[in-house]
Amino acid sequence: MLKNIKALYINSLVYYCIAAIVLLFICSFFFAFLYYIVWVLVALFFILFIADILLIYGVKNGIIGQRITPEKLSNGDDNYISIRLENNFPFKISVRIIDELPFQFQKRDFLINKSLASKTADHSTYLVRPTKRGEYHFGHLNIYASGPLKLISRRYIFDNNQIVATYPSFLQMRKYELMAIHNKLFMQGLKKVRKIGNTREFEQIKEYTLGDDIRTINWKATAKKSQYMVNQYQDEKSQNIYMIIDKGRVMKSPFNDLTLLDYAINASLVLSNIIIKKYDKAGLFTFSKKADNRLKPDNKPVQVQKFMENLYKVTTDFHESDFSKLYSEIKQNIHQRSLLILFTNFETLDGLNRQLKYLRAITKNHLLVVVFFKNSELDQIVHSEAKNTQEIYDKVIAEKFHYDKKLIVNELMKYGIYSVLTNPEDLNLNVINKYLEIKARGIL
């Protein structure tokens, strides 16, 4: 009984009614005939109040509610959460839904108002966007149900302490996989790269179609068939592609609520899926003061899940990354020539020069692509108009950093190191484009 009383909440309408009754009592001092009318209204209000309580508590399980969450949340993406309600009352009710969201979302004003007809069910959905990987604890799903009179509400509690893990962005991975299947990557900004060579791994002879390389025409087969026939060669497969993620302090920088490390992790997951679809082998390790989270290259479908599990709890630290340890790790453990895609960040040319000797040593045996980031806020300052002395100083400094980024690209190119300088939001497309470009050029 005590539990049921604790679930009883008085609505604002009750206080408005009480305020009106008090006001009428005051008026009855000046108009005597109102005195007896007010007492009739008090009795009527009391009867309606008791009747509303009996209506709401007359059904044992008047409301059945459930929070429906995905098995896991995708970091940096909009994820749908669904709430299912079932009204078992013999009358229409009004409900207020207050879901206790995980503290990571910092949202304390969640509220959904709805009306439910008698003996019906309803689904409500809302979006959450996690920006950190890890466990998210949902609290109570609170449903406040009011009857036709709307004088009181009864609280129902469901799905307490529900835990959902947030993983690297598998939604983006699926998005780019579907785009690749439907050949829509070029529509999103990926460039077509002319193939300047091919492997000599023969696949089949087929009829010539517009766009085929005329140098591959098989003249003997053409003479027999009396139509142009071409040799088709398949791309070299099962090449080792390593994603190397710097998790030092330079990757702690935030952009749009995500750190650069989160962008790198999401891009690695997306790219690993594309690599496996291209029959190459995707591998992984992270580094800062030491190398860890190692994952040997493989092209089995389960490799993507291994990527997700390995990257799930990777966090940045505040150390300066040790590129000598990176070189040592590659020297000791990667013996076959491989494509190494290094996600890091260099803000100045001096920062690059301190690590350049290690990057040059890596390129002696492997093909290295350095992926680093533009500072979007500085770019806005560079392209804005300065209106006072302080803004002029800010713009000059921003232009210096902006120019340094271009110098870094040129310096890397001078030593045969490929680079991708990108805005964080364009990272996925740009790294996929660079991988496809390297494959098309046959330079690995």
Side-chain angles (χ1 to χ4, degrees), residues 67 98-100 138-142 155 157-160:
R67 181 199 299 117
I98 299 178
D99 199 358
E100 296 178 0
F138 287 82
H140 297 298
L141 173 61
N142 303 283
R155 180 187 183 187
I157 300 176
F158 304 98
D159 297 331
N160 183 31

Side-chain angles (χ1 to χ4, degrees), residues 80-99:
Y80 284 94
I81 307 294
S82 180
I83 297 174
R84 184 184 185 277
L85 296 181
E86 185 178 337
N87 177 17
N88 292 325
F89 287 103
F91 48 80
K92 182 180 179 180
I93 63 168
S94 299
V95 295
R96 288 181 297 135
I97 305 171
I98 299 178
D99 199 358

Side-chain angles (χ1 to χ4, degrees), residues 83-85 94-100 109-114 116 122-124 126 141-145:
I83 297 174
R84 184 184 185 277
L85 296 181
S94 299
V95 295
R96 288 181 297 135
I97 305 171
I98 299 178
D99 199 358
E100 296 178 0
D109 58 350
F110 183 95
L111 176 64
I112 298 176
N113 291 305
K114 296 189 73 70
L116 283 178
D122 179 81
H123 280 84
S124 301
Y126 63 92
L141 173 61
N142 303 283
I143 310 297
Y144 296 86

Side-chain angles (χ1 to χ4, degrees), residues 222-240:
T222 298
K224 290 180 180 179
K225 291 284 188 178
S226 298
Q227 60 179 347
Y228 287 114
M229 305 293 291
V230 295
N231 294 332
Q232 185 173 2
Y233 300 92
Q234 66 180 20
D235 291 334
E236 188 177 349
K237 299 175 181 178
S238 296
Q239 293 175 311
N240 290 340

